[in-house]
Amino acid sequence: MSEYDINNQTREENPIPADERGHQQQDFYLGQTQPSPEPKDENDSDLTFDFGQLIFGVVLLLLLFHGDSGLFGEWTFYIYLAIAIIIHELGHVIVGKSFGCAIKEMQVFFLAFMSYKPKQIPGGSSWRDITWSLGLLPFGGVTVFKSRGAEEQEKGQWYYQEPENRGMELTASTSPYIDDKPAWQRLLISAAGVLFNFATFLILYVIMSFTTPGLRHVVSPLAQLSLILAVLNILPIYPLDGGAAVFALYEIVTGKKPSPMFTKVCGWVGFVVIILLFWVFPEALNGILNSVFRAFF
């Protein structure tokens, strides 16, 4: 039954008083009626802090970097790293939105303690739907796309559709879900962060060739970090961008998507491999980076 049918029933057929029907929404996948969330006060701040997460993050940082004097001494490194990550994640956001994907959140660093969600205004840009978050652990960033698979996992087999999509059959071009997009588009979305970082590196590398040593000293860290992020993320390890690109290439060649279980297993295996590369066998990773750096510096 649609919302239109509910609101146009008689009182005998629909026991919900007419003045309350506008405050109800039908929960189609549970078959229950739930109250809609109260409208947000215009004076409410869109900038939110999670102080519990902040305290936990500070303690975790001190434990992870115990005895490392460079943690706070070289604070400019983290500014450059944050800029390089922002450029990387904006690559995913810009290319994803160009294909009609809805994006829920863009996060810089992990263990987010601060988030900003723009106020919703009638006819406002779809960029206002994105939550922008900042974390404490300087190990990367993430862009969260709206996913049909994720909604099905959260809400059961019958996922909830927004009112504007009810009664409409979504096509690859009109669907906001990234998993409804063609494989070649998902391939470009996965590669976009790497391409943006590598383009940033090339631009700064050319600038450094024609600038004074002082300016070269300013832009060199960002150029190097952009190159590092590009190299690390192109590694064919899921959930890194390179691993997602491999899945998209597999689908392009075979015409079949990897099964969700296979993807999940690859995610766990990839996580273990990343831990081994960064913390157990960093010499192998340093060897890859040194080989790349010798080609440019």
Side-chain angles (χ1 to χ4, degrees):
M1 181 180 292
S2 68
E3 281 190 84
Y4 178 84
D5 295 330
I6 294 173
N7 287 330
N8 284 276
Q9 287 179 300
T10 64
R11 184 175 183 86
E12 290 74 17
E13 296 171 319
N14 183 1
I16 304 175
D19 58 347
E20 294 183 11
R21 293 174 198 166
H23 299 285
Q24 305 284 331
Q25 66 181 17
Q26 187 70 15
D27 189 343
F28 289 94
Y29 57 90
L30 291 178
Q32 300 174 351
T33 301
Q34 296 181 344
S36 299
E38 292 296 326
K40 188 176 180 180
D41 193 301
E42 293 184 357
N43 295 323
D44 286 351
S45 173
D46 292 311
L47 185 65
T48 58
F49 289 89
D50 187 333
F51 291 101
Q53 196 91 315
L54 177 62
I55 295 172
F56 176 73
V58 170
V59 173
L60 186 58
L61 275 177
L62 293 175
L63 291 175
L64 290 174
F65 295 94
H66 178 67
D68 187 355
S69 59
L71 173 62
F72 301 108
E74 297 295 333
W75 58 270
T76 55
F77 166 81
Y78 298 100
I79 294 178
Y80 283 116
L81 179 60
I83 294 173
I85 291 173
I86 289 172
I87 293 171
H88 180 97
E89 300 304 332
L90 279 178
H92 295 307
V93 171
I94 292 172
V95 175
K97 291 187 72 63
S98 70
F99 292 136
C101 295
I103 298 167
K104 301 172 68 174
E105 182 179 10
M106 192 190 99
Q107 181 176 323
V108 178
F109 295 165
F110 297 125
L111 202 63
F113 69 94
M114 181 173 65
S115 298
Y116 173 72
K117 179 70 178 292
K119 291 182 182 296
Q120 302 300 301
I121 59 176
S125 167
S126 62
W127 285 77
R128 290 182 168 272
D129 297 331
I130 304 174
T131 299
W132 311 88
S133 301
L134 177 65
L136 279 169
L137 298 183
F139 300 142
V142 62
T143 298
V144 181
F145 286 83
K146 190 171 185 179
S147 168
R148 183 188 296 273
E151 289 193 0
E152 289 177 351
Q153 287 183 357
E154 291 175 1
K155 302 173 180 178
Q157 184 177 2
W158 300 102
Y159 64 93
Y160 180 82
Q161 289 184 321
E162 284 73 11
E164 63 268 21
N165 293 331
R166 293 179 195 145
M168 295 174 51
E169 183 175 351
L170 297 177
T171 64
S173 59
T174 61
S175 173
Y177 300 105
I178 188 171
D179 31 14
D180 286 349
K181 302 301 178 183
W184 69 269
Q185 291 186 1
R186 285 184 276 111
L187 173 62
L188 291 179
I189 292 171
S190 298
V194 171
L195 294 175
F196 270 54
N197 277 144
F198 194 68
T200 301
F201 163 74
L202 289 178
I203 292 171
L204 295 179
Y205 187 76
V206 171
I207 291 175
M208 287 189 297
S209 302
F210 298 96
T211 57
T212 63
L215 183 57
R216 190 179 304 121
H217 178 74
V218 173
V219 300
S220 178
L222 181 57
Q224 294 182 31
L225 284 171
S226 296
L227 181 59
I228 290 174
L229 285 183
V231 171
L232 293 181
N233 279 280
I234 203 61
L235 295 176
I237 303 171
Y238 190 76
L240 296 178
D241 297 334
V246 169
F247 286 155
L249 284 172
Y250 170 83
E251 184 178 346
I252 291 173
V253 173
T254 65
K256 298 183 296 183
K257 287 185 177 181
S259 68
M261 179 58 67
F262 179 76
T263 304
K264 183 178 293 186
V265 171
C266 286
W268 282 108
V269 172
F271 180 75
V272 172
V273 172
I274 292 171
I275 296 295
L276 292 175
L277 279 177
F278 277 84
W279 282 281
V280 181
F281 304 109
E283 298 82 7
L285 187 60
N286 289 335
I288 296 174
L289 294 176
N290 288 333
S291 298
V292 175
F293 269 77
R294 278 197 296 268
F296 294 97
F297 298 98

